[in-house]
Amino acid sequence: MIDLRSDTVTKPTQAMRDAMYHAEVGDDVYKEDPTVCRLEELAASKLGKEDALFVTSGTQGNQIAVLTHCRSGNEVLLEQDSHIFYYEGGAISAFAGVQTRTISGVRGEMNPDELELAIRGNDIHEPETGLICMENTHNRAGGAIVSVENMKAVYNVAKKHAIPVHLDGARLFNAAVAKQCSIKEFTQNADTVQICLSKGLGAPIGSLIAGSSEIITRARKWRKRLGGGLRQVGTIAAPGIIALTEMVDRLSEDHHHAKVLAEGIGAVVGLEVINNVDTNIVLVDVSGKRMSSTEYIDKLSENGIKAVSFGPSVVRFTTHYDVTSQQITQALKTINSL
Ligand SMILES: Cc1ncc(COP(=O)(O)O)c(C=O)c1O
């Protein structure tokens, strides 16, 4: 099987497995796990923030960020196709008691003027705007890179109104690698950032939230409340250190594979690549094949390729560490023959 469903399907490398086996551990709720402390320091320094917190998943990281920034009854402004709005089971309403207000985006970018108009005033009838969230790279926009300029403009609007900003950076390293710039160019336009170690970077588990020491201290309390305070967890933080030190630069290979795949698919009659393929995601409209996305995915699966549906006629292919150039060539041959 050539598994192009997601960059979450990668298996830990041998170096990661060795690091897990040999990890020095302690009780992390007492902040006594040296491996977790090392991972948190490393993440904070890479992201240009004072402190970072190891959490179990991207969803948990985003939830903790919202809980930390907002009070119940606040309104959160976020892009209409963002993961926090679309794919987290309504968790921010369920747990933080906030309501969402979505802003339409173009390739994941919100218009700063439109965003500013959505910020609430002091009217007693209105909820307070408690947080603005961005997502980079943007999953539903096909791994699109939200530009530093757009992030800066959004951040400036937020600061003008004294509203905190959270960045869902589950795949942020992809943006920095593709743009050949420091990841800090993106993170300086957010008060908190969440990054995933298990998307594209190959670690089996884990995310981090980074921000000021004050915010991360409060976030640590929310993590505990949610039952996310773990004990000898260096065993799972150890592969995260390898993810951050050894697996970032190679993301360019995934981007190259995605471009090759998109070019090949673009030449197939009945298939249309509908995103710009900035990073490792290719979105394909299959309606020209007179099939729904799920029918097309079933056909792919019968022929040794896995992909996911991204709407009634759109199929998502994602490249990652466990897909080789040969497999990309093979996948294209198969897609051509269908
Ligand atoms: C942009 C984005 N944010 C957050 C998440 C959630 O991460 P997790 O699956 O680790 O909860 C995902 C998962 O795919 C994602 O794509």
Side-chain angles (χ1 to χ4, degrees):
M1 266 292 175
I2 303 172
D3 195 342
L4 295 165
R5 284 173 302 167
S6 174
D7 47 11
T8 57
V9 300
T10 55
K11 306 273 173 19
T13 63
Q14 191 55 48
M16 287 179 178
R17 291 170 192 267
D18 292 344
M20 290 170 88
Y21 186 77
H22 293 291
E24 251 189 288
V25 296
D27 188 330
D28 184 48
V29 172
Y30 292 109
K31 296 197 196 174
E32 284 173 8
D33 189 303
T35 310
V36 174
C37 292
R38 208 144 49 87
L39 173 63
E40 291 177 341
E41 278 162 28
L42 178 66
S45 113
K46 282 199 180 288
L47 298 169
K49 300 291 180 196
E50 283 174 357
D51 204 354
L53 181 72
F54 185 46
V55 294
T56 53
S57 67
T59 302
Q60 191 185 60
N62 287 335
Q63 295 314 312
I64 290 173
V66 175
L67 285 159
T68 304
H69 287 297
C70 294
R71 284 198 314 266
S72 127
N74 280 175
E75 185 166 74
V76 174
L77 301 181
L78 71 185
E79 199 274 334
Q80 67 181 5
D81 269 342
S82 61
H83 196 278
I84 295 176
F85 177 68
Y86 212 97
Y87 286 128
E88 298 189 8
I92 65 173
S93 303
F95 301 140
V98 297
Q99 68 181 34
T100 49
R101 182 161 178 192
T102 56
I103 309 291
S104 60
V106 177
R107 296 173 21 79
E109 295 189 348
M110 293 180 284
N111 179 321
D113 297 330
E114 203 182 314
L115 185 76
E116 186 160 22
L117 285 175
I119 292 173
R120 306 292 197 149
N122 290 325
D123 189 313
I124 194 171
H125 300 89
E126 298 184 2
E128 271 170 53
T129 306
L131 180 67
I132 294 172
C133 297
M134 288 188 267
E135 180 175 317
N136 205 0
T137 60
H138 195 291
N139 181 7
R140 283 194 61 80
I145 299 171
V146 174
S147 68
V148 169
E149 293 68 34
N150 179 259
M151 286 194 65
K152 201 170 275 181
V154 167
Y155 193 61
N156 287 343
V157 166
K159 292 302 110 176
K160 187 170 144 195
H161 296 270
I163 296 167
V165 174
H166 173 64
L167 170 60
D168 176 356
R171 295 186 179 79
L172 188 61
F173 283 102
N174 283 281
V177 167
K179 285 287 176 196
Q180 299 184 333
C181 70
S182 162
I183 196 160
K184 292 177 190 160
E185 290 197 32
F186 297 100
T187 58
Q188 68 190 3
N189 297 301
D191 301 300
T192 48
V193 52
Q194 181 275 116
I195 54 157
C196 288
L197 301 167
S198 60
K199 284 175 196 72
L201 301 183
I205 186 170
S207 291
L208 291 125
I209 325 171
S212 68
S213 305
E214 188 267 326
I215 291 178
I216 296 304
T217 301
R218 286 193 286 125
R220 193 174 287 277
K221 176 117 187 177
W222 274 112
R223 186 186 68 173
K224 189 75 184 81
R225 285 185 181 125
L226 293 178
L230 304 176
R231 304 296 178 174
Q232 286 71 25
V233 76
T235 42
I236 60 171
I241 293 175
I242 294 174
L244 291 183
T245 51
E246 295 177 19
M247 303 296 280
V248 171
D249 292 344
R250 64 147 306 283
L251 289 171
S252 55
E253 269 175 51
D254 301 343
H255 302 171
H256 174 66
H257 286 158
K259 286 205 165 68
V260 172
L261 194 62
E263 245 175 59
I265 290 176
V268 177
V269 176
L271 297 181
E272 189 192 351
V273 175
I274 57 166
N275 67 325
N276 273 358
V277 194
D278 288 349
T279 55
N280 65 330
I281 294 176
V282 183
L283 299 182
V284 181
D285 187 327
V286 301
S287 46
K289 288 281 186 195
R290 297 181 193 282
M291 279 188 242
S292 69
S293 58
T294 45
E295 284 166 344
Y296 190 73
I297 285 165
D298 288 346
K299 273 262 168 288
L300 286 173
S301 175
E302 284 160 20
N303 288 278
I305 300 171
K306 286 186 182 176
V308 291
S309 169
F310 240 43
S313 64
V314 177
V315 173
R316 186 186 79 169
F317 297 88
T318 307
T319 57
H320 54 78
Y321 179 66
D322 282 345
V323 178
T324 62
S325 310
Q326 289 89 324
Q327 286 179 312
I328 294 290
T329 310
Q330 179 56 48
L332 277 174
K333 261 195 205 149
T334 306
I335 289 168
N336 251 312
S337 71
L338 287 181

